[in-house]
């Protein structure tokens, strides 16, 4: 027998099932309606974004992992002149000028590793063969393995900046030229004046001797005058030699004459020759090394000139009792020469400056010695032509060390070895190099 409750229950169950199906269908239709609305909205947004990107004044591009352009906006055409079809699937780096391409690749790799936004300025190739400066910003999207790039044309800004720089450089060059002329006229005028005045004095003496019916002129006076003239001629010779050398070295015209030399013998000879030259003064020069002989290819005259400049400076900038120590060591296949003095020293702030042309720390009129500020410039160039380096360490009022290092190399097919100039040649070089020093 049917129970009225069972019947009712069955009906309720059916109604419930129907209701559930209806609800589910309604839900599905709502979801469908929703997602198609969402899709439409999404598509509209995408279109807006694309239009926005196309009308944007910047370049936009998406690159795959191999840096190939997989999507770009009209910026490539508007700014660089490349049509989309010429850009797609091409490597992005192809559009960058060579030296900048290297730094762009580094920046992209860094930005991929760090996940940060990277900025870089690069010269980009335009279709018409010209170049434009683009400031790129990029970010790597790791889950999609793509690079998003956006680039701003800063060519005009760069050109203005370059114009400003060129103008400033031209002004600086003009100032340097003026400074050079002032320095030059001072350096030429001083010894020329001394020579002129000494000659005038001498001619006065000759005149007065003649007036006194051929009275003899004292030989010692003539000798003293001769020495003054000679020293100032040497000063002029040194200045002109240094200036011509700087000009040649700066225009890459200077050629060194590399031969296999015993550098220990060259440095020892020149140090001892200067010590001899200084015998009558309170200057004590010693040479110190553990190495008997060291054959390396170098230009011996250049090494002698560097040594003479460093040694003459230890004397020019000495205090009363001067002790100079020259040492020679070898490290990492380089020969290192150190010239250490206990002189007046150089302020720390000036240490870099002293290697520049016409650099003089004491420009006062009462300075102890003259100097053109060209010796260290020439020395630096000469050391660098040997692929070496030169630097200075100093403590004010305590002393300075000038150190230069050159690599040890040998010319394999050359048998002869040079051991240094003759003492007469060195003496002549000392005369020229030491002409700035009054009190020796
Ligand atoms: P200069 O012909 O004037 O000596 P350098 O180029 O050889 O030219 O030296 C440049 C300047 O460096 C010198 O004017 C001097 O101020 C400073 N200087 C060089 N060597 C020494 C040193 N050993 N001690 C102190 N000052 C030095």
């Amino acid at each position: 027998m049917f129970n009225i409750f069972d019947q009712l229950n069955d009906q309720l169950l059916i109604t419930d099932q129907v209701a559930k199906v209806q609800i589910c269908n309604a839900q599905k239709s709502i979801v469908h309606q929703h997602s198609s609305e969402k899709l439409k909205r999404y598509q509209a947004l995408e279109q807006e974004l694309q239009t926005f990107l196309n009308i944007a004044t910047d370049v936009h591009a998406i690159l795959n992992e191999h840096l190939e352009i997989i999507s770009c906006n009209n910026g490539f055409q508007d700014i660089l002149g490349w049509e989309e079809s010429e850009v797609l699937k091409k490597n992005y780096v192809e559009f960058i000028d060579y030296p900048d391409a290297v730094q762009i690749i580094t920046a992209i790799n860094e930005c991929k590793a760090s996940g940060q936004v990277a900025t870089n300025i690069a010269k980009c190739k335009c279709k018409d063969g010209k170049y434009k400066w683009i400031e790129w910003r990029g970010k790597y999207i790791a889950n999609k393995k793509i690079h998003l790039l956006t680039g701003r044309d800063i060519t005009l800004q760069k050109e203005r900046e370059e114009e400003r720089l060129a103008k400033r450089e031209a002004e600086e060059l003009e100032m340097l030229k003026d400074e050079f002329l002032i320095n030059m006229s001072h350096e030429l005028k001083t010894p020329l004046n001394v020579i002129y005045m000494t000659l005038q004095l001498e001619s006065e003496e000759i005149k007065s001797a003649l007036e006194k019916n051929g009275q003899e002129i004292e030989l010692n006076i003539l000798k003293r005058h001769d020495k003054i003239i000679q020293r100032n001629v040497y000063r002029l010779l040194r200045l002109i030699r240094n200036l011509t050398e700087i000009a040649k070295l700066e225009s890459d015209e200077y050629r060194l004459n590399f031969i296999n030399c015993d550098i220990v013998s060259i440095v020892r000879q020149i140090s001892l020759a200067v010590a001899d030259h200084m015998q009558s003064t309170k200057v004590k020069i010693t040479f110190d090394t553990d190495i008997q002989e060291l054959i390396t290819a170098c230009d011996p005259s250049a090494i002698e000139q560097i040594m003479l400049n460093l040694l003459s400076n230890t004397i020019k900038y000495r205090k009363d009792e001067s002790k100079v120590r020259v040492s020679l060591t070898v490290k990492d296949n380089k020969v290192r020469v150190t010239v250490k003095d206990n002189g007046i020293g150089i302020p720390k702030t000036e240490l870099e400056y002293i290697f520049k042309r016409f650099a003089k720390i004491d420009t006062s009129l009462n300075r102890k010695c003259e100097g053109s500020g060209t010796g260290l410039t020439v020395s630096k160039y000469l050391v660098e032509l040997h692929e070496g380096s030169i630097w200075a360490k100093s403590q004010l009022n305590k002393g300075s060390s000038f150190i230069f290092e050159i690599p040890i190399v040998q010319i394999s097919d050359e048998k002869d070895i040079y051991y240094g100039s003759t003492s007469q040649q060195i003496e002549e070089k000392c005369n020229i190099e030491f002409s700035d020093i009054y009190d020796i």
Side-chain angles (χ1 to χ4, degrees):
M1 198 179 92
F2 273 122
N3 186 326
I4 186 87
F5 290 110
D6 286 343
Q7 253 183 10
L8 207 60
N9 200 21
D10 282 350
Q11 265 187 5
L12 276 172
L13 269 174
I14 292 164
T15 327
D16 186 39
Q17 298 252 312
V18 170
K20 272 184 182 160
V21 170
Q22 279 174 347
I23 288 169
C24 189
N25 282 344
Q27 270 175 343
K28 270 187 188 162
S29 114
I30 291 168
V31 168
H32 184 258
Q33 209 177 318
H34 261 289
S35 52
S36 66
E37 265 172 33
K38 239 182 173 176
L39 193 70
K40 270 188 204 154
R41 244 188 302 145
Y42 180 76
Q43 280 169 344
L45 255 171
E46 201 179 62
Q47 215 166 6
E48 260 175 45
L49 190 66
Q50 193 56 47
T51 322
F52 183 69
L53 288 179
N54 278 338
I55 60 167
T57 49
D58 294 349
V59 190
H60 297 280
I62 302 177
L63 320 181
N64 65 16
E65 282 223 284
H66 312 293
L67 307 188
E68 288 157 354
I69 302 170
I70 52 173
S71 160
C72 69
N73 72 338
N74 290 349
F76 258 98
Q77 183 160 19
D78 299 343
I79 296 174
L80 301 170
W82 302 102
E83 281 169 35
E84 195 179 358
S85 58
E86 295 170 305
V87 169
L88 288 182
K89 294 192 190 143
K90 289 267 170 63
N91 195 304
Y92 158 72
V93 177
E94 282 179 36
F95 297 92
I96 315 275
D97 193 27
Y98 168 69
D100 295 348
V102 181
Q103 70 177 39
I104 283 272
I105 294 175
T106 319
I108 286 180
N109 286 335
E110 279 170 10
C111 136
K112 189 174 170 183
S114 68
Q116 303 287 321
V117 175
T119 309
N120 221 295
I121 293 174
K123 229 166 136 190
C124 296
K125 291 175 199 161
C126 301
K127 197 177 171 180
D128 60 6
K130 292 185 182 153
Y131 285 89
K132 279 195 174 169
W133 285 100
I134 306 288
E135 184 184 49
W136 293 101
R137 277 170 76 77
K139 186 166 166 61
Y140 182 66
I141 310 294
N143 58 357
K144 294 197 171 146
K145 296 188 175 167
I146 53 167
H147 296 270
L148 294 184
L149 285 187
T150 160
R152 192 163 62 97
D153 182 6
I154 53 160
T155 311
L156 207 67
Q157 196 179 318
K158 266 273 179 190
E159 278 171 0
R160 290 214 178 117
E161 208 176 290
E162 273 167 15
E163 270 169 30
R164 255 202 317 272
L165 252 158
K167 201 170 152 222
R168 199 180 324 145
E169 264 170 28
E171 281 167 4
E172 273 172 12
L173 206 72
E174 194 61 28
M175 262 169 57
L176 267 176
K177 221 170 72 189
D178 291 347
E179 208 178 305
F180 176 78
L181 285 176
I182 294 168
N183 271 312
M184 272 298 292
S185 46
H186 169 79
E187 296 305 328
L188 289 171
K189 220 164 62 187
T190 319
L192 271 177
N193 269 344
V194 180
I195 295 172
Y196 179 72
M197 274 154 47
T198 319
L199 283 174
Q200 257 192 339
L201 212 69
E202 224 169 64
S203 80
E204 284 295 322
E205 273 157 14
I206 293 172
K207 203 171 138 198
S208 98
L210 284 175
E211 276 169 8
K212 288 176 190 160
N213 290 329
Q215 179 196 325
E216 276 188 14
I217 306 169
E218 217 186 303
L219 211 61
N220 275 345
I221 297 180
L222 274 187
K223 263 186 165 171
R224 213 173 49 230
H225 288 171
D226 263 10
K227 206 174 162 196
I228 296 173
I229 293 173
Q230 200 179 39
R231 172 165 294 174
N232 283 280
V233 168
Y234 281 141
R235 265 193 76 186
L236 286 172
L237 282 176
R238 177 180 181 262
L239 174 69
I240 289 160
R241 180 205 65 190
N242 279 0
L243 287 175
T244 350
E245 281 186 354
I246 292 176
K248 275 197 201 160
L249 286 158
E250 282 178 353
S251 65
D252 276 350
E253 260 182 51
Y254 202 95
R255 296 282 168 267
L256 287 184
N257 182 21
F258 280 92
I259 48 172
N260 284 339
C261 301
D262 175 12
I263 191 148
V264 181
S265 157
I266 293 177
V267 175
R268 182 192 293 119
Q269 269 189 30
I270 206 96
S271 310
L272 299 183
V274 176
D276 254 12
H277 201 83
M278 292 293 127
Q279 232 169 20
S280 59
T281 65
K282 285 183 185 164
V283 180
K284 198 165 181 302
I285 300 174
T286 54
F287 174 70
D288 191 22
T289 187
D290 289 338
I291 305 155
Q292 280 290 315
E293 188 182 83
L294 178 63
I295 310 300
T296 185
C298 62
D299 182 325
S301 328
I303 301 293
E304 282 172 357
Q305 193 173 334
I306 299 164
M307 284 305 299
L308 279 175
N309 168 239
L310 300 184
L311 286 168
S312 69
N313 281 348
T314 65
I315 296 150
K316 279 197 239 175
Y317 307 107
R318 71 185 188 274
K319 290 194 288 194
D320 280 348
E321 291 266 328
S322 177
K323 278 196 185 126
V324 180
R325 181 171 175 261
V326 180
S327 56
L328 188 147
T329 49
V330 169
K331 201 181 168 201
D332 301 332
N333 208 36
K334 286 178 187 160
V335 53
R336 173 184 283 201
V337 178
T338 307
V339 178
K340 188 173 186 301
D341 65 47
N342 61 344
I344 60 171
I346 304 162
K348 272 217 158 33
T349 47
E350 307 283 348
L351 279 177
E352 272 297 308
Y353 169 72
I354 53 170
F355 291 97
K356 299 227 159 78
R357 234 189 314 164
F358 295 122
K360 280 185 266 186
I361 295 167
D362 183 4
T363 48
S364 60
L365 286 175
N366 60 354
R367 61 180 182 260
K368 257 175 93 173
C369 61
E370 279 296 337
S372 55
T374 53
L376 283 177
T377 314
V378 175
S379 293
K380 188 169 191 288
Y381 275 128
L382 292 177
V383 171
E384 283 169 358
L385 278 180
H386 283 83
E387 309 282 321
S389 47
I390 182 166
W391 67 98
K393 292 195 260 181
S394 189
Q395 258 188 305
L396 207 55
N397 288 321
K398 290 217 164 132
S400 315
S401 289
F402 281 80
I403 304 132
F404 75 89
E405 247 180 21
I406 57 167
I408 302 170
V409 276
Q410 277 167 26
I411 305 169
S412 51
D413 54 0
E414 205 187 79
K415 300 266 176 304
D416 290 340
I417 291 166
Y418 186 80
Y419 287 91
S421 305
T422 61
S423 48
Q424 201 188 340
Q425 285 165 329
I426 298 181
E427 183 62 27
E428 189 62 15
K429 287 181 186 179
C430 282
N431 283 336
I432 296 188
E433 202 58 47
F434 290 59
S435 53
D436 282 342
I437 314 169
Y438 311 137
D439 53 348
I440 55 169

